[in-house]
Amino acid sequence: MSDYQRIIVNLLALAGVAIIAMAYWTAEAAKANPLSCYVEASGGASVASTGVSDGGTSVDLGSDGFQGGVGGGCDLRLGKDAIIGGLVRGDVGSNTFKADGESAKFGNSGMVALRGGIYLNDSVLAYGIIGGMIQKLDISSVGNTDFSGLVYGAGVEMVVDRLPVDLFAEINRYSPSNEVIDGAIVDPEYTIFRVGIRYRFYGAFGR
């Protein structure tokens, strides 16, 4: 065996030991700490419906696009079957619609929400969220306008066996309040379908 091959074998052995140790530590930490925190990354599709009313005339503009974001939060385990917690998330997107020579794009958004759920089994969590959101809407003739309002949704999270990561799928409904822009009432609502990954660690201050 050459020196190069010996180094590769040693590195692979060390990596295997590290993975086994991390898996063991994660399982023991989960038992010892009812509080866990996480960071996440996600991506998916957004579907929007924007109502515009002006002088008795109204139109409903549909659009769709990509949405991606990062966030984080903490959960408190309540016994064996439930969790309660909170999360924050920021998104960027490419959802754009056009009408009467003008275009508008849903820009960056952010949310702060409460999260609660129940375990369907040892590995699968079903949960709901509700909270507040803020959304930028960039209109070509006006500029950036901020909308704020309610966000709610539901999701399913699945533990990846022997690793401190979870996979999740989630649907969010954003319901901002109406805004008057250049005399027109603008009422955007949109839905995001996302999938993502959460890296979970235990204890209030991380590892």
Side-chain angles (χ1 to χ4, degrees):
M1 182 182 293
S2 67
D3 290 341
Y4 176 77
Q5 290 173 324
R6 191 174 291 107
I7 291 172
I8 295 298
V9 169
N10 289 337
L11 288 175
L12 289 174
L14 286 173
V17 171
I19 290 172
I20 293 171
M22 184 173 63
Y24 176 80
W25 182 90
T26 300
E28 293 303 309
K31 295 177 184 177
N33 294 284
L35 178 67
S36 65
C37 297
Y38 57 87
V39 291
E40 64 168 45
S42 63
S46 63
V47 180
S49 175
T50 305
V52 180
S53 301
D54 187 7
T57 301
S58 62
V59 61
D60 198 18
L61 305 172
S63 58
D64 55 64
F66 170 79
Q67 200 87 7
V70 295
C74 291
D75 295 327
L76 180 64
R77 187 83 177 246
L78 304 176
K80 293 173 58 179
D81 299 325
I83 62 102
I84 188 170
L87 68 92
V88 296
R89 180 183 288 150
D91 280 316
V92 296
S94 63
N95 195 316
T96 302
F97 61 89
K98 297 181 179 181
D100 297 331
E102 291 193 11
S103 64
K105 176 183 177 181
F106 289 100
N108 299 342
S109 65
M111 60 175 281
V112 178
L114 297 175
R115 189 172 93 118
I118 58 172
Y119 281 92
L120 304 180
N121 55 43
D122 290 342
S123 301
V124 179
L125 173 74
Y127 63 89
I129 64 170
I130 185 167
M133 52 76 63
I134 187 168
Q135 170 74 58
K136 285 191 177 295
L137 184 63
D138 185 10
I139 302 175
S140 58
S141 62
V142 178
N144 288 331
T145 301
D146 290 337
F147 289 80
S148 60
L150 180 69
V151 58
Y152 54 93
V156 176
E157 184 173 328
M158 183 178 68
V159 175
V160 177
D161 194 28
R162 299 187 180 279
L163 289 177
V165 296
D166 303 335
L167 303 178
F168 70 96
E170 193 175 295
I171 180 172
N172 306 138
R173 179 69 172 176
Y174 285 68
S175 296
S177 57
N178 299 346
E179 294 285 342
V180 178
I181 301 174
D182 282 355
I185 300 174
V186 180
D187 180 19
E189 294 209 5
Y190 60 104
T191 302
I192 300 175
F193 305 90
R194 71 173 79 234
V195 294
I197 186 169
R198 292 186 171 117
Y199 175 81
R200 189 170 293 275
F201 49 97
Y202 294 88
F205 301 103
R207 292 187 184 275

